[in-house]
Amino acid sequence: MAVAVTEKFEEMVLEIETAVPGTYTKICGLTDVEITRSSNIDTVEIPDCDNEALPHSIEKQVRSIEVSISASGVWAQQSWGLMSDWFYSGTTKNIRVRNTKALTGDLETQAGPALLASLNNSRTKGQKVTASVEIQFDGTPTRTDKA
């Protein structure tokens, strides 16, 4: 029996580019991160030319691809300036998702410009302030395999 090789929490990293181009930092406090990759698929019904009474065949084709990230956790004060500036600017920032333990030849980094679609905070008496964000890549991320 072959046991699956797994990845630890700290080996999947979400990072945002700082004010220094090419320099990235982790978004502190976000402990639950989910990356969603979706295909927008077009469907076309194709008739049978010999017998139009038969049900149509369904053919599908990918029209576009989108990648987004949802994350939540505690709200870290050191992330406040960076994240609120990003949200209120309405502009893209470069982000990347890294699998730091990727095997040679496997996908290690997905990177590119992204928009901060939502920035939410919540408080509960007796608890720490929490945060949730949704980040959407602006285009298809650039994928880089581990050398």
Side-chain angles (χ1 to χ4, degrees), residues 34-48:
E34 180 178 348
I35 303 160
T36 303
R37 297 165 193 89
S38 302
S39 295
N40 297 309
I41 297 174
D42 288 330
T43 301
V44 177
E45 294 184 9
I46 308 298
D48 184 305

Side-chain angles (χ1 to χ4, degrees), residues 47-59:
D48 184 305
C49 291
D50 292 332
N51 185 351
E52 291 182 339
L54 291 175
H56 291 179
S57 174
I58 300 289
E59 293 187 7

Side-chain angles (χ1 to χ4, degrees), residues 53-99:
L54 291 175
H56 291 179
S57 174
I58 300 289
E59 293 187 7
K60 297 178 181 258
Q61 183 172 342
V62 174
R63 178 175 20 101
S64 59
I65 293 173
E66 59 184 314
V67 180
S68 62
I69 300 164
S70 298
S72 62
V74 296
W75 188 242
Q77 289 182 347
Q78 56 266 54
S79 295
W80 174 243
L82 182 66
M83 298 301 285
S84 62
D85 288 350
W86 183 15
F87 180 80
Y88 286 107
S89 74
T91 60
T92 61
K93 284 190 94 39
N94 289 322
I95 67 162
R96 66 184 181 188
V97 177
R98 294 187 309 123
N99 294 316

Side-chain angles (χ1 to χ4, degrees), residues 25-39:
T25 187
K26 295 176 189 171
I27 303 171
C28 186
L30 299 179
T31 54
D32 298 310
V33 176
E34 180 178 348
I35 303 160
T36 303
R37 297 165 193 89
S38 302
S39 295

Side-chain angles (χ1 to χ4, degrees), residues 6-13 98-102 108:
T6 60
E7 192 169 23
K8 295 178 183 176
F9 169 84
E10 65 272 10
E11 294 170 348
M12 186 182 83
V13 180
R98 294 187 309 123
N99 294 316
T100 63
K101 293 293 182 178
E108 180 179 33

